[in-house]
Amino acid sequence: MAGLTDKCAITGIGETEYSKNSGKSVAALQMEASLKAIADAGLKPTDIDGVIPYGNMEMVAEDFITNLGLPDLRYSAVTPLGGASAVAAIQAAVSAVASGIANNVLIPIGRNGSSGQRIGARAGEMPQFRLIGEFEMPQGNIAPPQLYAHMARRHMELYGTKSEQLAEIAVSTRANAILNDNAVMTKPMTIEDHQNSRIISDPLRLFDCCLESDGAAAVIVSGSDRAKDLAQKPIYIMGVGEGHPDSPSTITQRPDITTLGTAKAAPRAFGMAGVSHKDIDVAEIYDCFTYIVMCQLEDLGFCKKGEGGDFVSNGRIARGGELPINTHGGLLSQSHIVGMNHVCELVKQLRGSAGKAQVANAEIGLVTGYGDMGDGSVAIMRN
Amino acid sequence: MTELDYDKPMPPLNRDSKPFWDSMKEHNMRLQRCVGCGKIRHYPRPVCDSCYSMEYDWVRASGKGKVHTWTVSEHAFHPGFLAALPMTLATVELEEGVRVCAQMRDVEPGQMAVDMAVELGYEDTGANFTLPVFRPA
Ligand SMILES: [Zn+2]
């Protein structure tokens, strides 16, 4: 797999306005983001010969052929890993482009997660949640904040992790969102605000939970040989990996419920990239819940299992800290675009175009996805 | 009450797990056991992940377990659970080595602790199925 290092680059990114009520269809949002990404790369829609739609089946490859007039789509796939899909799709795109199957793969994600049907309401209908639907939802264990609270409580009991440490993540992420012109949440948050927010499912409070949002984002993966001639500075994909946890469909039966699929993906991504943790200048970590950020930082190897609470404290993850994370405001405070907003932000950081949230001299960065009860995906990129 | 009046999610019919739900109705939880290697597994499924045998039988659960983790929900994600809030949901490791997710009964949230001994109980829903609950042992 080391043969894939730097073979591909992100050549274009596109984002719509992020909001609580887009007033647009999911199709319109995804096409707008796709056209922006294609234009950003300096490509034409007819240059797109691969597409990886988001695996929830709202939009399929055929929709992109029809809307964008793609004359000869040579590659399509879906990566059905929930919130880990966007970064897992980068792995699929890299393997398709590096092997010569396609030249320019479009990866779009978008939805009306706020104004449309709520995410929690859909979960029981999805095949990957069939076991939860039969054995846990009838008891009232229904939505991610409850399902993940079991993980967070166990982590707290084993390692002494505190709600105030989870608050550090929410507060520093909000501070970043305030610098972002395309963020939904713009009011400052303190640790006290977090501690005063209502319990959703103990130990998770309202401010431990992500937003539900409307909007779309898209990226283009191209071969590095062609990327040099396109409109933007190529952001090279050094390493990528996906990982599925033990007992992937139910947290209840997972032998170690404090470990995510990220722990399997991370060594592959770091190994392929040939870099170590201290080389990472900025990290965009999938943040459906504060606890999931902390747990991924452990599973990525930035600290040992159980040390995540201390790791995220004392400004380490803030801008100007040792490892700035979620410089755009994340799912917690920018918008829930299923982590494609994290991919776009990492590309901006490495291009040096991240505006007020720019991390000085960012050369190598990491982005993760997480979803569907524990799937993890990791990509490491450089400029 | 009938299934039509029931206001909470119901387990869908599933051929692989029907004997489990039948045993719940009898207040006598049975767990799936591999005939090939003896491994007990839950939730029910067609293949043993240790020896790949598709032969299995059903053995009675002791009903004894300990708390692995828990959450106390103060938000109902389904209107049927509004009246149950705050609701303590436990992940319990049974003596047999598999886990069951169920609501706790007769416990204050502050009493909950990892490894607390609990005992299985049964609650008929009135909708032709029975759910597990746990109480401090
Ligand atoms: Zn077996």
Side-chain angles (χ1 to χ4, degrees):
Chain A
M1 290 296 276
L4 293 179
T5 304
D6 293 350
K7 286 286 195 316
C8 297
I10 306 280
T11 52
I13 59 172
E15 297 174 276
T16 67
E17 182 192 0
Y18 297 148
S19 70
K20 291 177 180 171
N21 188 355
S22 69
K24 295 174 182 169
S25 70
V26 171
L29 290 168
Q30 291 204 13
M31 293 308 158
E32 180 186 332
S34 297
L35 286 167
K36 281 180 168 168
I38 293 164
D40 181 62
L43 291 166
K44 296 186 293 295
T46 49
D47 295 321
I48 300 299
D49 56 5
V51 63
I52 305 178
Y54 181 45
N56 67 359
M57 304 306 284
E58 263 184 291
M59 296 288 291
V60 294
E62 286 82 346
D63 293 317
F64 293 89
I65 296 173
T66 304
N67 279 277
L68 301 178
L70 306 182
D72 189 13
L73 192 78
R74 299 200 254 167
Y75 177 77
S76 69
V78 290
T79 51
L81 288 81
S85 298
V87 175
I90 292 174
Q91 173 176 264
V94 165
S95 55
V97 171
S99 61
I101 293 170
N103 293 309
N104 299 295
V105 177
L106 169 68
I107 312 175
I109 288 187
R111 60 183 183 175
N112 285 324
S114 171
S115 65
Q117 196 184 13
R118 287 282 167 152
I119 297 156
R122 286 200 303 266
E125 303 158 18
M126 298 161 77
Q128 61 270 48
F129 302 134
R130 184 178 54 75
L131 290 176
I132 294 170
E134 179 170 356
F135 296 100
E136 301 182 17
M137 290 186 183
Q139 278 91 315
N141 202 36
I142 291 170
Q146 299 174 296
L147 299 161
Y148 298 170
H150 291 260
M151 303 194 220
R153 173 50 63 194
R154 176 93 180 161
H155 197 283
M156 288 178 165
E157 297 299 312
L158 291 185
Y159 304 116
T161 309
K162 299 273 184 279
S163 174
E164 291 84 349
Q165 294 172 320
L166 301 183
E168 297 267 1
I169 296 168
V171 168
S172 86
T173 306
R174 178 64 58 86
N176 291 334
I178 289 167
L179 301 176
N180 189 331
D181 293 337
N182 195 15
V184 172
M185 302 302 278
T186 54
K187 192 173 157 235
M189 186 198 295
T190 64
I191 301 284
E192 291 69 36
D193 293 334
H194 173 281
Q195 293 295 293
N196 290 332
S197 70
R198 69 189 174 93
I199 297 273
I200 300 297
S201 198
D202 177 79
L204 299 180
R205 297 175 176 278
L206 180 65
F207 287 176
D208 290 308
C209 304
C210 62
L211 308 170
E212 299 205 29
S213 313
D214 290 6
V219 302
I220 313 283
V221 173
S222 309
S224 294
D225 47 346
R226 290 179 181 82
K228 287 188 281 289
D229 303 324
L230 297 181
Q232 304 289 343
K233 180 181 180 58
I235 301 304
Y236 295 99
I237 299 158
M238 305 176 77
V240 66
E242 78 174 53
H244 299 257
D246 301 332
S247 183
S249 300
T250 165
I251 294 158
T252 300
Q253 305 296 342
R254 189 168 301 159
D256 176 3
I257 72 169
T258 64
T259 295
L260 309 171
T262 315
K264 299 180 187 181
R268 287 195 272 275
F270 275 99
M272 195 189 299
V275 300
S276 70
H277 295 78
K278 64 178 177 356
D279 298 317
I280 303 296
D281 299 315
V282 58
E284 313 300 348
I285 307 290
Y286 195 90
D287 56 336
C288 48
F289 297 91
T290 54
Y291 169 77
I292 296 297
V293 174
M294 191 199 68
C295 191
Q296 285 177 92
L297 290 168
E298 295 173 347
D299 291 342
L300 286 162
F302 284 103
C303 59
K304 292 202 182 84
K305 181 55 64 186
E307 294 178 354
D310 285 336
F311 185 86
V312 300
S313 301
N314 301 315
R316 184 181 273 120
I317 59 170
R319 274 179 328 110
E322 192 182 307
L323 182 70
I325 70 164
N326 295 350
T327 44
H328 53 328
L331 307 182
L332 289 168
S333 284
Q334 187 201 22
S335 181
H336 193 328
I337 310 298
V338 206
M340 191 58 88
N341 49 327
H342 293 54
V343 179
C344 291
E345 173 68 8
L346 180 61
V347 170
K348 285 193 238 178
Q349 287 285 347
L350 297 176
R351 283 178 179 175
S353 64
K356 288 182 230 166
Q358 179 67 47
V359 172
N361 305 314
E363 293 177 356
I364 297 177
L366 176 149
V367 59
T368 70
Y370 163 86
D372 279 6
M373 306 302 133
D375 296 343
S377 50
V378 182
I380 298 170
M381 304 186 200
R382 70 171 177 87
N383 59 20
Chain B
M1 185 169 67
T2 70
E3 281 132 276
L4 292 174
D5 304 321
Y6 191 64
D7 66 349
K8 300 180 185 69
M10 288 189 280
L13 281 176
N14 174 354
R15 188 183 292 262
D16 292 325
S17 59
K18 187 173 183 301
F20 169 79
W21 289 109
D22 287 347
S23 77
M24 291 297 294
K25 263 197 283 195
E26 295 157 9
H27 292 207
N28 189 9
M29 183 193 280
R30 288 178 186 276
L31 297 167
Q32 200 180 22
R33 180 177 63 182
C34 174
V35 166
C37 72
K39 183 175 175 178
I40 290 175
R41 62 181 188 258
H42 198 51
Y43 306 135
R45 52 187 178 269
V47 183
C48 173
D49 68 353
S50 286
C51 75
Y52 318 117
S53 169
M54 297 184 74
E55 299 291 318
Y56 51 84
D57 57 11
W58 297 85
V59 295
R60 186 173 180 191
S62 70
K64 293 186 190 350
K66 53 187 189 174
V67 171
H68 189 73
T69 185
W70 74 95
T71 183
V72 182
S73 291
E74 298 190 15
H75 185 91
F77 290 88
H78 186 289
F81 294 102
L82 275 169
L85 300 180
M87 172 171 69
T88 302
L89 287 156
T91 297
V92 169
E93 186 146 316
L94 296 180
E95 270 187 349
E96 290 80 5
V98 299
R99 301 199 193 125
V100 171
C101 175
Q103 289 188 31
M104 290 295 301
R105 295 284 179 262
D106 306 332
V107 69
E108 293 298 319
Q111 274 178 264
M112 294 296 290
V114 167
D115 291 339
M116 183 172 96
V118 294
E119 201 156 52
L120 176 67
Y122 299 87
E123 287 187 359
D124 298 330
T125 61
N128 201 29
F129 72 101
T130 298
L131 286 172
V133 293
F134 287 98
R135 291 183 172 81

